[in-house]
Amino acid sequence: MTRTWRDAAVALAVVAAALGCSAEDSTKQPGVSATAEADAVVVEFRIANGTVSPVNARRDAKVGQPIDLVVDSDSEDELHVHATPEYTFVVRPGAGQRFRFTVEVPGRVEVELHHAHKTVATVVVRP
């Protein structure tokens, strides 16, 4: 039976390598299935010429559900996610930057741009 488990582990590693899984791939989270990708709550916004759009988007999520922030920006800033646990993401100039997080405690979660002093989203997280 030991050989069967070892063979299965080797086969799984070969499949993962063939699919291009890598610890350095920041767009995918380890262990996140295609279903989890489809179930993610997405908040898209843009920072351009000192303006943030939209401001204070409203979204609903469940505890543990992935939340993706997708940002197009022409300047640097920091995103602060006021949740449990808290998160901070560095925004750089560029398009399609994606930041993923989950929330473990229900409640209102504000996502703020630190330097722009704007709330880009409020996510109501339910049990």
Side-chain angles (χ1 to χ4, degrees):
M1 177 116 82
T2 302
R3 181 181 170 142
T4 303
W5 284 105
R6 185 178 57 230
D7 292 346
V10 169
L12 183 59
V14 169
V15 169
L19 292 174
C21 295
S22 167
E24 295 181 26
D25 183 359
S26 63
T27 61
K28 297 276 187 191
Q29 297 291 323
V32 175
S33 68
T35 303
E37 290 282 336
D39 290 341
V41 172
V42 178
V43 179
E44 296 178 310
F45 60 97
R46 172 177 290 215
I47 306 166
N49 300 318
T51 302
V52 179
S53 177
V55 174
N56 207 12
R58 304 289 179 152
R59 300 289 187 275
D60 293 312
K62 293 181 181 176
V63 166
Q65 182 176 19
I67 301 169
D68 288 348
L69 305 174
V70 182
V71 185
D72 294 341
S73 181
D74 65 358
S75 61
E76 290 189 10
D77 208 321
E78 282 185 357
L79 280 167
H80 292 177
V81 178
H82 298 280
T84 303
E86 290 192 345
Y87 298 90
T88 299
F89 302 106
V90 176
V91 175
R92 303 199 190 294
Q97 298 170 76
R98 185 174 290 265
F99 307 100
R100 172 168 280 196
F101 65 95
T102 59
V103 177
E104 301 306 321
V105 176
R108 292 173 53 93
V109 173
E110 292 184 346
V111 179
E112 299 175 342
L113 278 167
H114 180 68
H115 299 298
H117 304 289
K118 300 285 184 187
T119 300
V120 296
T122 300
V123 182
V124 177
V125 180
R126 303 193 191 287

